[in-house]
Amino acid sequence: MLTTGLSAQPLPVYLDESKPVEQRIDDALARMTLDEKIAVIHAQSKFSSPGVKRLGFPDFWTDDGPHGVRPDVLWDEWEQAGQSNDSCVAFPALTCLAATWNPQMARLYGESLGEEALYRGKSMILGPGVNINRTPLGGRNFEYMGEDPWLASRMVVPYIQGLQSKGVAACVKHYALNNDEEYRHQVNVVVSERALHEIYLPAFKAAVTEAGTWGLMGAYNLYKDQHNCHNDIMLNQILKGDWQYDGVVVSDWGGCHDTDEAIRNGLDMEFGTWTDGLTMGATNAYDNYHLALGYKRLIQEGKYTTKELDDKVRRVLRLFYHTTMQRQKPYGFLCSESHYAAALKIAQEGIVLLKNEKLKDGKNGKMAAPLLPLDLSTAKRILVVGENAIKMMTVGGGSSSLKVQKEILPLDGLMERLANHNLQTSDVKCQIDYARGYVGDTVQSYNGVTVGRSIAERRSADELLQEAVGKAKGADYVIVFGGLNKSDYQDCEGHDRKDYGLPYGQDRLIEALALVNKNIVFVNISGNAVAMPWADKVPAILQGWFIGSEAGEALASVLCGDVNPSGKLPFTWYRRLEDCGAHALGAFPGTWRDDYKIIDEEYREGIYVGYRWADLPSKHQTSNFKLQTSKPLFAFGHGLSYTTFQMGKPQANSKHMTADGQISFTVSVTNTGSRAGSETVQLYVSDKHASVDRPVKELKAFQKVFLQPGETRDVTMVIGRDALSYYDEATHQWKAEPGKFEALIGTASDQIAAKCEFELK
Ligand code: BGC
């Protein structure tokens, strides 16, 4: 018999690691008092909840956020705690991770973040976020993984597995339908059951059923008139019923509004922004939370038994055994070289080369070649323009804001790269010049974290433009770092963008620069697409995302060709806002009810989100939807390389989906250029004769392959019956209809190189 050393008493079951966890949970639960049970299901501070001290369960600490471990705030305030050991590595925001189209990068991301969290004493990371990018105005799209349910699913699973392999819980968020930010506590989403299951839920489902996430955060908004943090359909029926989720449902901060619903509808842990769990409140009033003394009183009065409470506590104890009570987990470390290397690698793989044209008349008298990578053997002067070349992007944006140990700014990264080049070369030395060009937001602090050098600027917009244009004349290259930032109404929590255009007069600046210098590169720093009315006049465009600590180094390495870009867009880059379904149909941001308490947002575009909408004209014409008139500026899945690839003819292993419900496609890919690089082969499924409306095509498999110049490799992609199915609203089941299908194989949603027909019997 196992005994405790000191007293030679038998080790209680709940502490006995040789016993199955469920047995330990039963034992712990049986020992807990009502007060102890109530205590573990709600917060005691901004980011912690109590353990059970009497039984040796430590307090539970959680923290934001998806792309780095947030600095500590005071116990009951949003002010900084002022720790000196909470500076972290900022990993690229999740749009960039999704743009790698590389699940191995997601695994590396999760593991690295987990190690940082462990060192900081956090047992749960409030992320990753997988809300679907429904409109490019969505303020938090930068925190999410794009518009496609399959891509987001494939990327979220290894992120969670990597994080949890370190003994740190994921808390996948915000479940669900939190697709925009404006009035996020009041938006009641009206969406078809089919769109809910086909578009908005798959990534959450994968997080639960494939990755086994230990935590999940309810969203602020409402669905069918009930807040998602205590929504019967979402939590009881789908999550805990259909998907058999055995982890905890955590409220978003202040997302709990009703005690009875919180008790009955599946919320397990209540956390808050202010101390009444809502938006305002007295100091240290955690007892006032819905799942606190009010709940205890209802039990004592006999309105509830402890049935619901015991279920919640069981889940919390399960979480404890995975994390705080897990003694085999590593210690973790912060700001290690390996974490910086991971952040750099993910950033380099996620940067997307959107456009790279050859100049008609060549450059420097040489044969015309694509503008990028920069030719440093001849360039003498490179002009860098734009606020985003010198602005820190790891602060701001809401709860994902960080306090970083370092953030290499784009201008600094390029200067460093060129200094190295100048040292090592006997060629012409290349100088960097800088012009501000425009002023956006000069505040370099957020929630008490102040960073970087001052970027205050007093000159007028005209003066800045004239300076930039003057310096652009005669420069070998002009590289403009513009885009959005993390300020309110940009890529930021709490509000959505007000319009699709670039802010701060950037369009005027870019047009003026393009008039005086043809060798212009625009690097867009953002988590969202933006309008680019000048796109035809700018030969090279790079999507640089918010890529964290190593931003400047990653961008410089791609611009200079040390790294061959391989990112692919995880969303459709519409030419105009009205090319997006939600906007074409006037279905954003919704309609206030007469009492101005709730705003109904009807997702009229249904399943036609992103490329599913952009593909519409060729199939559905105008019967159901207003015809969109322009093709995307850059399609979903698009991304260029400095080398070229050729795909062979795909071979299917059968003409029919086989009895085991699978079919595989093999295609060869050859690197036909002179640089090593990666291509991502994408497989979309098209249902040729369906009894219901179906998208023209849907992504169902992809694979990224790295090739040396001249190298050829076979890529095999397997799909199952799931890939052919749609959600049938009549039976509330997924259904694959027998008949003809096509596998469309290509390198972007608008670059389909081959089609393979097959049949489902
Ligand atoms: C955000 C969550 C975040 C929480 C804690 C909320 O406002 O919506 O994503 O995890 O705050 O900071």
Side-chain angles (χ1 to χ4, degrees):
M1 181 195 290
L2 279 171
T3 55
T4 49
L6 283 178
S7 55
Q9 293 290 312
L11 193 64
V13 171
Y14 78 93
L15 287 178
D16 186 346
E17 289 176 1
S18 70
K19 294 282 190 301
V21 166
E22 293 305 313
Q23 218 174 309
R24 297 173 73 189
I25 292 173
D26 283 343
D27 185 51
L29 191 70
R31 293 168 191 267
M32 286 170 73
T33 65
L34 179 61
D35 283 328
E36 284 167 340
K37 289 179 181 177
I38 290 286
V40 298
I41 62 166
H42 68 273
Q44 61 177 357
S45 76
K46 287 279 180 271
F47 285 100
S48 76
S49 56
V52 192
K53 285 193 183 54
R54 186 176 59 86
L55 299 179
F57 288 87
D59 285 358
F60 187 79
W61 282 89
T62 173
D63 207 359
D64 289 300
H67 46 259
V69 189
R70 180 178 176 156
D72 287 331
V73 296
L74 291 171
W75 184 259
D76 191 37
E77 305 287 335
W78 288 104
E79 292 311 310
Q80 292 303 299
Q83 317 280 30
S84 54
N85 64 347
D86 59 355
S87 300
C88 67
V89 172
F91 298 91
L94 296 193
T95 36
C96 176
L97 175 63
T100 67
W101 289 58
N102 185 348
Q104 285 173 11
M105 289 297 108
R107 173 83 198 199
L108 176 66
Y109 196 121
E111 287 174 357
S112 310
L113 184 59
E115 287 162 356
E116 298 247 322
L118 276 182
Y119 184 85
R120 293 272 313 280
K122 312 298 179 191
S123 293
M124 175 184 268
I125 282 288
L126 302 173
V130 286
N131 295 97
I132 290 293
N133 178 328
R134 173 178 175 250
T135 152
L137 300 191
R140 288 184 92 171
N141 284 345
F142 76 95
E143 288 189 58
Y144 306 142
M145 300 206 196
E147 74 183 26
D148 185 74
W150 177 256
L151 176 64
S153 303
R154 291 315 93 207
M155 299 303 286
V156 74
V157 169
Y159 177 120
I160 293 173
Q161 288 168 334
L163 184 65
Q164 295 192 163
S165 73
K166 302 292 171 183
V168 176
C171 189
V172 60
K173 67 192 188 184
H174 307 87
Y175 180 77
L177 298 168
N178 186 180
N179 307 102
D180 43 64
E181 285 293 286
E182 211 69 52
Y183 312 113
R184 56 188 179 166
H185 295 273
Q186 289 150 288
V187 169
N188 178 52
V189 174
V190 181
V191 64
S192 71
E193 203 184 331
R194 189 168 163 207
L196 177 68
H197 286 273
E198 288 189 22
I199 306 292
Y200 297 101
L201 294 187
F204 289 104
K205 186 178 180 187
V208 170
T209 60
E210 292 181 54
T213 186
W214 300 332
L216 173 141
M217 186 188 288
Y220 280 141
N221 50 288
L222 300 92
Y223 171 63
K224 293 206 191 249
D225 288 342
Q226 210 166 47
H227 278 99
N228 273 333
C229 288
H230 31 79
N231 186 298
D232 181 45
I233 299 177
M234 286 290 188
L235 301 178
N236 286 341
Q237 295 181 35
I238 299 175
L239 178 73
K240 294 183 174 177
D242 298 346
W243 302 347
Q244 296 284 298
Y245 178 58
D246 70 358
V248 291
V249 173
V250 175
S251 71
D252 196 348
W253 268 227
C256 181
H257 302 263
D258 184 290
T259 307
D260 285 305
E261 287 182 7
I263 294 169
R264 289 199 298 254
N265 293 351
L267 180 66
D268 302 308
M269 294 179 97
E270 185 184 358
F271 282 81
T273 296
W274 298 96
T275 44
D276 66 347
L278 297 174
T279 49
M280 302 291 281
T283 305
N284 276 315
Y286 294 95
D287 284 349
N288 299 344
Y289 275 26
H290 295 282
L291 292 186
L293 293 188
Y295 185 13
K296 179 181 162 190
R297 216 170 300 123
L298 292 174
I299 291 177
Q300 286 169 331
E301 287 165 3
K303 180 156 185 213
Y304 291 98
T305 64
T306 57
K307 178 170 162 275
E308 295 87 357
L309 178 63
D310 286 347
D311 178 63
K312 296 178 200 299
V313 176
R314 265 177 201 289
R315 290 166 184 274
V316 173
L317 289 171
R318 204 170 284 130
L319 177 68
F320 289 170
Y321 282 115
H322 283 310
T323 57
T324 50
M325 295 296 278
Q326 159 65 272
R327 293 196 309 150
Q328 309 308 326
K329 61 177 186 285
Y331 189 67
F333 40 92
L334 197 61
C335 296
S336 67
E337 278 180 26
S338 63
H339 295 168
Y340 282 116
L344 178 63
K345 176 101 183 86
I346 296 160
Q348 287 169 330
E349 274 211 32
I351 291 170
V352 184
L353 181 61
L354 293 173
K355 183 175 177 191
N356 193 19
E357 281 189 350
K358 295 181 181 176
L359 291 180
K360 279 195 197 92
D361 52 353
K363 173 171 73 65
N364 302 323
K366 290 194 173 180
M367 285 265 292
L371 190 62
L372 289 175
L374 304 174
D375 181 355
L376 296 183
S377 67
T378 54
K380 294 199 195 79
R381 187 167 69 90
I382 296 176
L383 176 67
V384 172
V385 182
E387 181 168 293
N388 283 354
I390 58 167
K391 184 167 172 65
M392 286 189 76
M393 292 295 179
T394 53
V395 285
S399 55
S400 62
S401 184
L402 298 172
K403 176 170 136 192
V404 290
Q405 189 197 47
K406 84 167 179 193
E407 176 178 348
I408 303 179
L409 300 171
L411 180 59
D412 295 340
L414 257 184
M415 295 210 337
E416 169 99 19
R417 174 65 180 78
L418 286 192
N420 287 339
H421 166 82
N422 289 345
L423 268 181
Q424 284 160 19
T425 187
S426 52
D427 292 348
V428 188
K429 310 283 180 210
C430 181
Q431 303 307 321
I432 288 231
D433 202 357
Y434 175 72
R436 179 67 170 264
Y438 72 91
V439 177
D441 187 343
T442 56
V443 175
Q444 296 257 77
S445 72
Y446 187 83
N447 243 6
V449 177
T450 303
V451 287
R453 56 191 172 224
S454 164
I455 58 168
E457 175 60 66
R458 286 167 184 270
R459 287 172 293 170
S460 72
D462 283 345
E463 284 172 312
L464 294 174
L465 184 126
Q466 272 159 27
E467 180 200 34
V469 168
K471 287 186 172 188
K473 289 178 187 156
D476 293 290
Y477 294 98
V478 177
I479 308 177
V480 184
F481 288 90
L484 308 176
N485 57 32
K486 298 283 195 68
S487 307
D488 247 0
Y489 297 100
Q490 301 286 315
D491 280 325
C492 185
E493 182 175 340
H495 296 287
D496 296 310
R497 293 163 66 198
K498 288 183 175 156
D499 48 55
Y500 193 39
L502 280 173
Y504 317 128
Q506 292 178 70
D507 288 342
R508 184 171 84 114
L509 171 70
I510 297 162
E511 300 259 6
L513 291 169
L515 278 180
V516 298
N517 196 316
K518 284 199 285 286
N519 296 342
I520 179 167
V521 181
F522 183 69
V523 183
N524 189 60
I525 305 293
S526 76
N528 263 315
V530 297
M532 293 182 167
W534 36 260
D536 291 346
K537 299 171 195 158
V538 173
I541 305 176
L542 202 65
Q543 175 57 21
W545 310 115
F546 298 115
I547 49 179
S549 286
E550 298 285 6
E553 186 172 342
L555 288 164
S557 66
V558 169
L559 287 166
C560 296
D562 312 331
V563 166
N564 192 350
S566 64
K568 299 274 185 178
L569 281 179
F571 52 68
T572 303
W573 199 293
Y574 306 103
R575 200 172 282 274
R576 311 164 314 164
L577 190 58
E578 53 276 31
D579 298 334
C580 162
H583 297 277
L585 300 176
F588 171 90
T591 315
W592 284 104
R593 290 186 190 169
D594 289 345
D595 60 5
Y596 276 93
K597 289 195 177 136
I598 299 289
I599 179 167
D600 289 307
E601 188 165 349
E602 191 186 338
Y603 288 12
R604 290 187 200 131
E605 71 284 8
I607 56 173
Y608 295 100
V609 174
Y611 65 90
R612 289 166 169 78
W613 174 265
D615 278 347
L616 270 184
S618 61
K619 188 176 179 196
H620 294 285
Q621 300 305 329
T622 49
S623 58
N624 294 330
F625 299 105
K626 208 196 276 179
L627 189 70
Q628 66 147 34
T629 47
S630 47
K631 283 197 168 145
L633 188 57
F634 306 111
F636 171 80
H638 167 82
L640 305 172
S641 166
Y642 295 150
T643 187
T644 46
F645 299 97
Q646 182 139 26
M647 263 173 29
K649 194 169 163 358
Q651 301 290 336
N653 68 340
S654 167
K655 287 217 165 312
H656 307 113
M657 185 161 272
T658 51
D660 63 354
Q662 288 200 329
I663 184 165
S664 77
F665 301 89
T666 301
V667 61
S668 66
V669 190
T670 305
N671 181 344
T672 49
S674 53
R675 281 169 190 265
S678 296
E679 180 56 292
T680 301
V681 183
Q682 304 165 30
L683 186 154
Y684 298 82
V685 167
S686 179
D687 188 345
K688 301 319 287 176
H689 305 286
S691 64
V692 294
D693 249 9
R694 296 205 65 177
V696 173
K697 60 179 181 296
E698 297 182 84
L699 182 74
K700 293 298 170 182
F702 60 87
Q703 203 172 307
K704 191 166 189 171
V705 58
F706 177 78
L707 297 167
Q708 295 295 338
E711 189 183 353
T712 299
R713 281 212 214 173
D714 280 349
V715 168
T716 298
M717 290 170 291
V718 183
I719 55 170
R721 290 178 75 92
D722 289 359
L724 315 185
S725 308
Y726 67 91
Y727 188 85
D728 180 21
E729 294 192 334
T731 58
H732 312 289
Q733 301 285 338
W734 288 88
K735 190 166 168 184
E737 286 180 335
K740 285 201 166 60
F741 289 83
E742 267 176 357
L744 312 179
I745 299 176
T747 53
S749 63
D750 66 344
Q751 294 295 319
I752 301 301
K755 298 181 180 179
C756 287
E757 204 172 270
F758 63 98
E759 198 172 341
L760 176 66
K761 293 262 184 190

